[in-house]
Amino acid sequence: MSEKIFTIEEVKLLSKNKYYCLEVKHSAVNDYISGKGSLYDICSKYNISSHSVLQGWILKYNNSHNKWKSHNTKENKIMTKGRKTTYNERVEIVAFCIENNDNYQLTSNKYKVSYQQVYTWVRKYKENGYESLRDNRGKRKNIDQMSETEKLNAQIRLLEAKNKQLEMENNFLKKLEEVERRR
């Protein structure tokens, strides 16, 4: 019994897994079930790597408890990509979620925001009301709204920044003097 010897290119082709989109899987299985060809014919038509792959799809189709699986990362997103929302949208999203017995997944799917974001907004609302849904990132407090400790911490940060700037200027001038002395 002689074994087939593969070239390096053939080995590289054999070692890679091939993934198929859901449309190809459905079309191939439907063609086979409707009698449009043999396993080998359909594999050839849809460029499926092996008839055993198609057989597996047919088994999964016949055993309806198995779900079709696509390896397309865009179809399998677990988290929805975040998007910017206005205050009014967040209020509407929270209201919808609470009306639906805190169904975060339903709300997430309907409004195209992440599950975690819906959960966070609902939790904030329940703890502090609708005002907690305002986005205050990047907005500084007025001096009137700061506590004494916050005022002192802000003053310390300003003085540290000024000190660092003066140190940098001093070091620059020293370097400049050194360069001029070398000339």
Side-chain angles (χ1 to χ4, degrees):
M1 197 166 158
S2 66
E3 291 184 41
K4 178 170 172 36
I5 298 174
F6 294 103
T7 66
I8 293 174
E9 288 77 23
E10 290 173 323
V11 170
K12 285 181 183 176
L13 286 173
L14 290 173
S15 65
K16 290 187 179 180
N17 290 335
K18 191 165 182 185
Y19 299 103
Y20 303 93
C21 65
L22 283 175
E23 291 80 23
V24 169
K25 290 179 181 182
H26 285 291
S27 298
V29 169
N30 287 333
D31 282 1
Y32 180 77
I33 289 173
S34 61
K36 292 184 179 175
S38 68
L39 286 173
Y40 296 101
D41 294 336
I42 293 171
C43 287
S44 174
K45 177 181 177 183
Y46 291 100
N47 197 21
I48 299 170
S49 61
S50 167
H51 72 280
S52 61
V53 172
L54 180 55
Q55 283 177 325
W57 296 346
I58 294 166
L59 282 173
K60 283 185 180 182
Y61 177 83
N62 289 332
N63 301 330
S64 60
H65 63 275
N66 286 328
K67 286 189 173 183
W68 289 89
K69 184 170 135 185
S70 170
H71 291 281
N72 182 350
T73 55
K74 290 182 181 175
E75 291 177 19
N76 284 343
K77 286 225 179 194
I78 293 171
M79 291 186 64
T80 304
K81 186 177 183 204
R83 66 176 182 87
K84 290 185 180 182
T85 55
T86 64
Y87 170 73
N88 290 334
E89 281 181 303
R90 289 189 289 274
V91 169
E92 180 183 341
I93 291 168
V94 168
F96 178 83
C97 187
I98 292 172
E99 287 169 8
N100 289 283
N101 298 321
D102 292 346
N103 188 336
Y104 304 112
Q105 191 63 52
L106 174 70
T107 308
S108 169
N109 293 340
K110 179 176 185 208
Y111 289 97
K112 304 286 188 262
V113 293
S114 73
Y115 180 99
Q116 181 61 41
Q117 196 61 70
V118 174
Y119 176 82
T120 302
W121 290 332
V122 171
R123 185 178 44 92
K124 280 182 177 181
Y125 164 74
K126 287 181 177 180
E127 290 172 3
N128 300 316
Y130 280 116
E131 279 305 307
S132 63
L133 299 177
R134 292 207 183 275
D135 186 4
N136 292 322
R137 292 177 295 177
K139 296 184 176 125
R140 295 195 169 103
K141 288 183 179 178
N142 291 334
I143 293 177
D144 304 337
Q145 296 173 329
M146 290 184 176
S147 68
E148 197 61 36
T149 308
E150 289 174 326
K151 287 178 186 176
L152 291 173
N153 284 336
Q155 191 174 12
I156 289 170
R157 281 195 305 274
L158 288 171
L159 289 172
E160 286 173 345
K162 182 71 172 170
N163 189 24
K164 189 171 184 176
Q165 180 186 3
L166 291 172
E167 284 178 5
M168 288 172 48
E169 287 176 10
N170 193 14
N171 288 335
F172 175 75
L173 290 173
K174 286 181 183 177
K175 295 248 185 212
L176 185 63
E177 287 176 6
E178 185 180 324
V179 168
E180 287 178 354
R181 265 188 284 146
R182 287 185 184 170
R183 289 185 184 176

